[in-house]
Amino acid sequence: MFTGSIVALITPMDIKGNICKKNLKKLIRYHIDSGTKAIVIMGTTGESTTLTYEEHIKTVMYALDFSKNKIPIIAGTGFNSTTKCIAITSVLEKSGIIGCLSVTPYYNRPTQEGMYQHFKEIANSTTLPQILYNVPSRTGCDLLPETIYRLSKIKNIVGIKEATGDLSRFYKIKNLVDKNFFLISGDDTTSFEFMLLGGDGVISVTANIVAVQMNQFCNYIKEKKITKAKKINQSLIKLHHQLFIESNPIPVKWAAKRIGLIDSNTMRLPMTKLSKYNQEILEITLKKLKLI
Protein backbone atom coordinates (compact mmCIF):
# COMPACT_ATOMS: atom_id res chain seq x y z
CA MET A 1 0.00 0.00 0.00
CA PHE A 2 2.87 2.38 0.74
CA THR A 3 5.27 1.94 -2.16
CA GLY A 4 6.25 3.71 -5.37
CA SER A 5 5.41 7.32 -6.23
CA ILE A 6 3.09 8.82 -3.62
CA VAL A 7 2.25 12.50 -4.05
CA ALA A 8 2.28 14.97 -1.18
CA LEU A 9 -0.65 16.84 -2.66
CA ILE A 10 -1.00 20.61 -2.67
CA THR A 11 -4.32 22.07 -1.55
CA PRO A 12 -5.79 24.29 -4.29
CA MET A 13 -7.48 27.48 -3.12
CA ASP A 14 -9.45 30.18 -4.90
CA ILE A 15 -8.30 33.81 -4.91
CA LYS A 16 -10.05 34.36 -1.57
CA GLY A 17 -8.19 31.47 0.07
CA ASN A 18 -11.09 29.03 0.18
CA ILE A 19 -10.58 25.36 -0.70
CA CYS A 20 -11.21 24.95 -4.44
CA LYS A 21 -13.11 21.69 -4.87
CA LYS A 22 -13.07 21.95 -8.67
CA ASN A 23 -9.27 22.08 -8.81
CA LEU A 24 -8.89 19.42 -6.13
CA LYS A 25 -11.00 17.07 -8.23
CA LYS A 26 -8.88 17.95 -11.28
CA LEU A 27 -5.63 17.21 -9.41
CA ILE A 28 -6.87 13.85 -8.18
CA ARG A 29 -7.93 12.89 -11.71
CA TYR A 30 -4.47 13.94 -12.92
CA HIS A 31 -2.82 11.56 -10.46
CA ILE A 32 -5.17 8.70 -11.25
CA ASP A 33 -4.41 9.11 -14.95
CA SER A 34 -0.66 9.44 -14.29
CA GLY A 35 -0.34 6.21 -12.32
CA THR A 36 0.52 7.78 -8.98
CA LYS A 37 0.29 5.01 -6.37
CA ALA A 38 -1.34 7.01 -3.58
CA ILE A 39 -2.16 10.53 -2.44
CA VAL A 40 -1.19 12.13 0.85
CA ILE A 41 -3.81 14.77 1.55
CA MET A 42 -3.38 17.40 4.27
CA GLY A 43 0.34 16.94 4.79
CA THR A 44 2.90 19.74 5.03
CA THR A 45 2.63 20.38 1.29
CA GLY A 46 -1.14 20.57 1.71
CA GLU A 47 -0.83 23.54 4.10
CA SER A 48 -2.56 21.65 6.87
CA THR A 49 -1.26 23.99 9.55
CA THR A 50 -3.16 26.99 8.15
CA LEU A 51 -6.48 25.21 7.68
CA THR A 52 -9.09 24.90 10.38
CA TYR A 53 -9.89 21.54 11.94
CA GLU A 54 -13.18 21.46 10.04
CA GLU A 55 -11.49 22.30 6.73
CA HIS A 56 -8.90 19.60 7.37
CA ILE A 57 -11.58 16.93 7.74
CA LYS A 58 -13.62 18.24 4.81
CA THR A 59 -10.62 18.24 2.48
CA VAL A 60 -9.83 14.62 3.33
CA MET A 61 -13.46 13.70 2.67
CA TYR A 62 -13.46 15.61 -0.63
CA ALA A 63 -10.38 13.65 -1.71
CA LEU A 64 -12.03 10.35 -0.84
CA ASP A 65 -15.12 11.33 -2.79
CA PHE A 66 -13.19 12.51 -5.85
CA SER A 67 -10.88 9.49 -5.88
CA LYS A 68 -13.83 7.10 -6.27
CA ASN A 69 -11.65 4.28 -4.91
CA LYS A 70 -9.33 4.55 -7.93
CA ILE A 71 -6.36 5.79 -5.91
CA PRO A 72 -5.62 5.22 -2.20
CA ILE A 73 -5.84 8.23 0.12
CA ILE A 74 -3.49 8.72 3.06
CA ALA A 75 -4.43 11.51 5.47
CA GLY A 76 -2.02 13.78 7.25
CA THR A 77 -3.07 13.64 10.90
CA GLY A 78 -0.05 15.09 12.67
CA PHE A 79 -0.20 17.93 15.19
CA ASN A 80 2.01 18.97 18.08
CA SER A 81 -0.70 17.83 20.47
CA THR A 82 -1.23 14.12 21.05
CA THR A 83 -4.86 14.76 21.97
CA LYS A 84 -5.53 16.55 18.68
CA CYS A 85 -3.88 13.75 16.70
CA ILE A 86 -6.05 11.15 18.39
CA ALA A 87 -9.18 13.24 17.85
CA ILE A 88 -8.71 13.70 14.11
CA THR A 89 -7.63 10.08 13.65
CA SER A 90 -10.77 8.96 15.43
CA VAL A 91 -12.97 11.02 13.10
CA LEU A 92 -11.27 9.47 10.06
CA GLU A 93 -11.24 5.91 11.42
CA LYS A 94 -14.04 4.61 9.17
CA SER A 95 -13.71 7.19 6.39
CA GLY A 96 -12.00 5.01 3.82
CA ILE A 97 -8.43 6.31 4.06
CA ILE A 98 -5.79 3.59 3.95
CA GLY A 99 -3.60 5.12 6.63
CA CYS A 100 -2.32 8.20 8.41
CA LEU A 101 0.88 10.20 8.02
CA SER A 102 1.80 11.67 11.38
CA VAL A 103 4.60 14.21 11.68
CA THR A 104 6.77 14.55 14.77
CA PRO A 105 5.39 17.13 17.23
CA TYR A 106 6.70 20.46 15.94
CA TYR A 107 7.67 23.43 18.14
CA ASN A 108 7.32 21.46 21.40
CA ARG A 109 10.72 19.81 20.86
CA PRO A 110 9.88 16.66 22.86
CA THR A 111 12.47 14.17 24.00
CA GLN A 112 12.84 10.79 22.30
CA GLU A 113 10.72 9.28 25.08
CA GLY A 114 8.11 11.99 24.53
CA MET A 115 7.93 11.18 20.83
CA TYR A 116 7.73 7.47 21.57
CA GLN A 117 4.83 7.96 23.95
CA HIS A 118 3.14 10.39 21.52
CA PHE A 119 3.09 7.95 18.60
CA LYS A 120 2.32 4.99 20.84
CA GLU A 121 -0.78 6.71 22.22
CA ILE A 122 -1.99 7.58 18.72
CA ALA A 123 -1.42 4.05 17.40
CA ASN A 124 -3.19 2.50 20.37
CA SER A 125 -6.23 4.70 19.74
CA THR A 126 -6.89 3.39 16.22
CA THR A 127 -6.75 0.42 13.89
CA LEU A 128 -5.55 2.60 10.98
CA PRO A 129 -2.00 2.02 9.75
CA GLN A 130 0.32 4.77 10.92
CA ILE A 131 3.28 6.17 8.98
CA LEU A 132 5.75 8.16 11.04
CA TYR A 133 7.05 11.37 9.46
CA ASN A 134 10.46 12.73 10.39
CA VAL A 135 11.40 16.15 8.97
CA PRO A 136 13.61 17.86 11.57
CA SER A 137 14.37 20.83 9.31
CA ARG A 138 10.75 21.94 9.78
CA THR A 139 9.78 20.55 13.17
CA GLY A 140 12.78 21.23 15.39
CA CYS A 141 12.94 17.62 16.60
CA ASP A 142 14.54 14.51 15.15
CA LEU A 143 13.07 11.03 15.51
CA LEU A 144 16.20 8.90 15.97
CA PRO A 145 16.65 5.37 14.54
CA GLU A 146 16.54 3.77 17.99
CA THR A 147 13.16 5.39 18.68
CA ILE A 148 11.89 4.39 15.24
CA TYR A 149 12.88 0.81 16.09
CA ARG A 150 10.89 0.91 19.33
CA LEU A 151 7.86 2.31 17.53
CA SER A 152 8.12 -0.26 14.71
CA LYS A 153 7.27 -2.92 17.26
CA ILE A 154 3.78 -1.44 17.63
CA LYS A 155 1.51 -3.43 15.32
CA ASN A 156 -0.12 -0.65 13.29
CA ILE A 157 2.93 1.59 12.99
CA VAL A 158 3.91 0.32 9.58
CA GLY A 159 6.54 2.67 8.18
CA ILE A 160 8.28 6.01 8.13
CA LYS A 161 8.60 8.94 5.77
CA GLU A 162 12.23 9.84 6.32
CA ALA A 163 12.90 13.38 5.12
CA THR A 164 16.29 14.22 6.59
CA GLY A 165 18.02 13.69 3.24
CA ASP A 166 20.76 11.89 5.18
CA LEU A 167 21.32 8.58 3.40
CA SER A 168 23.42 7.19 6.25
CA ARG A 169 20.23 7.36 8.31
CA PHE A 170 18.63 4.85 5.94
CA TYR A 171 21.13 2.13 6.85
CA LYS A 172 20.73 2.78 10.55
CA ILE A 173 16.96 2.41 10.36
CA LYS A 174 16.95 -0.54 7.95
CA ASN A 175 19.35 -2.50 10.13
CA LEU A 176 17.05 -2.08 13.12
CA VAL A 177 13.51 -2.57 11.82
CA ASP A 178 11.69 -5.61 10.49
CA LYS A 179 11.84 -6.15 6.72
CA ASN A 180 8.10 -5.48 6.43
CA PHE A 181 8.46 -1.96 7.84
CA PHE A 182 8.06 0.55 5.00
CA LEU A 183 10.93 2.97 4.42
CA ILE A 184 9.72 5.89 2.33
CA SER A 185 11.82 8.83 1.18
CA GLY A 186 10.51 12.27 2.00
CA ASP A 187 13.24 14.03 0.06
CA ASP A 188 12.94 14.13 -3.74
CA THR A 189 16.57 15.12 -4.27
CA THR A 190 17.91 11.93 -2.65
CA SER A 191 15.01 9.61 -3.49
CA PHE A 192 16.97 7.85 -6.26
CA GLU A 193 19.78 6.82 -3.90
CA PHE A 194 17.29 6.08 -1.11
CA MET A 195 15.37 3.64 -3.26
CA LEU A 196 18.52 2.06 -4.67
CA LEU A 197 19.49 1.24 -1.10
CA GLY A 198 16.19 -0.60 -0.69
CA GLY A 199 13.65 2.11 0.07
CA ASP A 200 10.04 1.35 -0.81
CA GLY A 201 9.08 4.62 -2.46
CA VAL A 202 8.89 8.38 -2.15
CA ILE A 203 6.26 10.77 -0.82
CA SER A 204 7.00 13.39 -3.41
CA VAL A 205 6.50 17.13 -3.79
CA THR A 206 7.81 17.00 -7.36
CA ALA A 207 5.10 14.50 -8.34
CA ASN A 208 2.58 17.34 -8.06
CA ILE A 209 3.69 18.62 -11.46
CA VAL A 210 5.48 15.66 -13.12
CA ALA A 211 3.41 12.74 -11.88
CA VAL A 212 4.00 10.51 -14.91
CA GLN A 213 7.76 10.90 -14.71
CA MET A 214 7.90 10.24 -10.95
CA ASN A 215 5.74 7.15 -11.32
CA GLN A 216 7.90 5.83 -14.15
CA PHE A 217 11.05 6.60 -12.16
CA CYS A 218 9.83 4.52 -9.23
CA ASN A 219 8.65 1.71 -11.50
CA TYR A 220 12.03 1.51 -13.19
CA ILE A 221 13.80 1.12 -9.86
CA LYS A 222 11.36 -1.61 -8.82
CA GLU A 223 12.00 -3.36 -12.16
CA LYS A 224 15.78 -2.90 -11.65
CA LYS A 225 16.03 -0.78 -14.79
CA ILE A 226 18.47 1.47 -13.03
CA THR A 227 19.91 3.23 -16.08
CA LYS A 228 16.43 4.36 -17.14
CA ALA A 229 15.59 5.46 -13.59
CA LYS A 230 18.85 7.39 -13.39
CA LYS A 231 18.09 9.20 -16.64
CA ILE A 232 14.72 10.41 -15.32
CA ASN A 233 16.29 11.42 -12.02
CA GLN A 234 18.98 13.43 -13.77
CA SER A 235 16.36 15.22 -15.87
CA LEU A 236 14.42 16.18 -12.72
CA ILE A 237 17.22 16.93 -10.24
CA LYS A 238 17.23 20.68 -10.87
CA LEU A 239 13.45 20.75 -10.48
CA HIS A 240 13.73 18.80 -7.21
CA HIS A 241 16.03 21.48 -5.83
CA GLN A 242 14.14 24.46 -7.21
CA LEU A 243 10.82 23.34 -5.72
CA PHE A 244 12.47 24.20 -2.41
CA ILE A 245 13.96 27.50 -3.53
CA GLU A 246 11.49 29.02 -1.06
CA SER A 247 9.58 27.26 1.69
CA ASN A 248 7.45 24.34 0.48
CA PRO A 249 4.77 24.53 -0.92
CA ILE A 250 5.35 28.06 -2.25
CA PRO A 251 7.31 27.04 -5.40
CA VAL A 252 5.31 23.91 -6.28
CA LYS A 253 2.02 25.73 -5.96
CA TRP A 254 3.26 28.46 -8.30
CA ALA A 255 4.52 25.81 -10.74
CA ALA A 256 1.20 23.95 -10.66
CA LYS A 257 -0.61 27.14 -11.62
CA ARG A 258 1.98 28.01 -14.26
CA ILE A 259 1.52 24.71 -16.08
CA GLY A 260 -2.26 24.87 -15.81
CA LEU A 261 -3.04 22.28 -13.15
CA ILE A 262 -4.73 24.80 -10.85
CA ASP A 263 -6.32 28.20 -11.41
CA SER A 264 -4.74 30.08 -8.50
CA ASN A 265 -1.61 29.73 -6.38
CA THR A 266 -3.23 31.53 -3.45
CA MET A 267 -1.77 30.63 -0.06
CA ARG A 268 -2.78 31.53 3.46
CA LEU A 269 -0.57 33.69 5.60
CA PRO A 270 2.06 33.42 6.84
CA MET A 271 2.83 31.65 3.53
CA THR A 272 3.20 34.06 0.62
CA LYS A 273 3.47 33.68 -3.15
CA LEU A 274 6.74 32.93 -4.93
CA SER A 275 8.95 35.97 -5.47
CA LYS A 276 9.31 37.37 -8.98
CA TYR A 277 13.03 36.58 -8.98
CA ASN A 278 12.45 32.90 -8.19
CA GLN A 279 9.55 32.70 -10.63
CA GLU A 280 11.99 33.51 -13.41
CA ILE A 281 14.39 30.80 -12.24
CA LEU A 282 11.69 28.14 -12.04
CA GLU A 283 10.21 29.25 -15.35
CA ILE A 284 13.43 28.33 -17.16
CA THR A 285 13.39 24.82 -15.70
CA LEU A 286 9.72 24.27 -16.55
CA LYS A 287 10.46 25.26 -20.14
CA LYS A 288 13.44 22.91 -20.35
CA LEU A 289 11.19 20.07 -19.17
CA LYS A 290 8.60 21.13 -21.78
CA LEU A 291 5.95 21.62 -19.14
CA ILE A 292 5.12 25.03 -20.60
Side-chain angles (χ1 to χ4, degrees):
M1 292 190 296
F2 308 112
T3 62
S5 178
I6 302 169
V7 64
L9 197 70
I10 57 174
T11 299
M13 299 176 185
D14 63 25
I15 58 174
K16 294 182 179 179
N18 299 311
I19 308 301
C20 181
K21 292 172 64 177
K22 181 187 76 170
N23 280 183
L24 181 59
K25 186 175 184 178
K26 180 180 177 182
L27 288 175
I28 291 173
R29 170 51 60 185
Y30 166 68
H31 285 286
I32 292 170
D33 293 343
S34 299
T36 301
K37 297 300 185 289
I39 289 172
V40 170
I41 193 84
M42 287 289 93
T44 303
T45 309
E47 300 175 75
S48 58
T49 56
T50 59
L51 270 62
T52 66
Y53 181 85
E54 291 75 18
E55 288 174 321
H56 192 123
I57 298 293
K58 283 183 180 179
T59 306
V60 174
M61 301 310 292
Y62 292 152
L64 286 164
D65 182 34
F66 298 151
S67 70
K68 299 188 184 299
N69 294 318
K70 292 181 179 179
I71 189 168
I73 303 296
I74 301 165
T77 54
F79 295 95
N80 62 345
S81 160
T82 309
T83 302
K84 287 182 180 178
C85 293
I86 291 172
I88 200 165
T89 303
S90 176
V91 171
L92 296 172
E93 178 81 29
K94 304 297 182 181
S95 65
I97 62 172
I98 65 163
C100 302
L101 180 69
S102 189
V103 71
T104 53
Y106 43 87
Y107 185 75
N108 296 341
R109 300 184 68 188
T111 63
Q112 294 300 305
E113 182 62 24
M115 285 188 280
Y116 173 77
Q117 294 294 339
H118 170 79
F119 288 118
K120 179 183 177 183
E121 286 293 312
I122 297 167
N124 287 342
S125 75
T126 182
T127 60
L128 285 167
Q130 300 291 304
I131 304 171
L132 310 170
Y133 178 16
N134 189 39
V135 56
S137 63
R138 294 194 75 133
T139 62
C141 59
D142 187 3
L143 191 64
L144 297 180
E146 295 76 15
T147 309
I148 295 167
Y149 165 71
R150 292 177 67 197
L151 288 165
S152 73
K153 297 300 180 182
I154 299 171
K155 184 178 179 180
N156 58 329
I157 296 181
V158 299
I160 184 167
K161 176 185 177 183
E162 174 55 34
T164 61
D166 179 1
L167 292 171
S168 67
R169 180 70 67 93
F170 177 89
Y171 284 113
K172 293 175 183 176
I173 299 170
K174 189 173 179 62
N175 289 335
L176 288 170
V177 299
D178 185 83
K179 64 180 181 179
N180 295 321
F181 190 77
F182 293 100
L183 299 177
I184 308 165
S185 173
D187 178 54
D188 281 302
T189 59
T190 57
S191 60
F192 176 65
E193 293 82 2
F194 187 99
M195 292 181 68
L196 282 185
L197 294 174
D200 296 293
V202 55
I203 295 178
S204 171
V205 172
T206 305
N208 276 283
I209 58 172
V210 285
V212 171
Q213 294 93 320
M214 286 303 297
N215 180 56
Q216 189 63 73
F217 160 72
C218 290
N219 288 343
Y220 279 148
I221 293 180
K222 183 179 180 181
E223 296 163 7
K224 302 192 183 304
K225 297 177 180 178
I226 306 306
T227 301
K228 290 183 176 182
K230 184 177 182 180
K231 185 177 180 180
I232 294 176
N233 185 63
Q234 288 174 334
S235 72
L236 296 178
I237 196 68
K238 184 174 286 188
L239 180 63
H240 291 331
H241 285 287
Q242 290 181 355
L243 289 180
F244 288 84
I245 201 168
E246 291 181 22
S247 298
N248 179 47
I250 293 172
V252 71
K253 212 165 187 184
W254 178 86
K257 180 180 184 295
R258 183 65 183 86
I259 68 175
L261 285 173
I262 56 177
D263 298 324
S264 168
N265 62 320
T266 300
M267 306 187 77
R268 291 187 183 177
L269 290 171
M271 304 302 282
T272 54
K273 293 184 179 181
L274 189 66
S275 68
K276 182 67 175 176
Y277 177 79
N278 286 327
Q279 287 179 29
E280 293 172 358
I281 293 173
L282 192 49
E283 176 101 358
I284 294 169
T285 300
L286 296 179
K287 286 180 178 177
K288 285 182 177 179
L289 290 169
K290 300 180 179 179
L291 296 173
I292 51 177

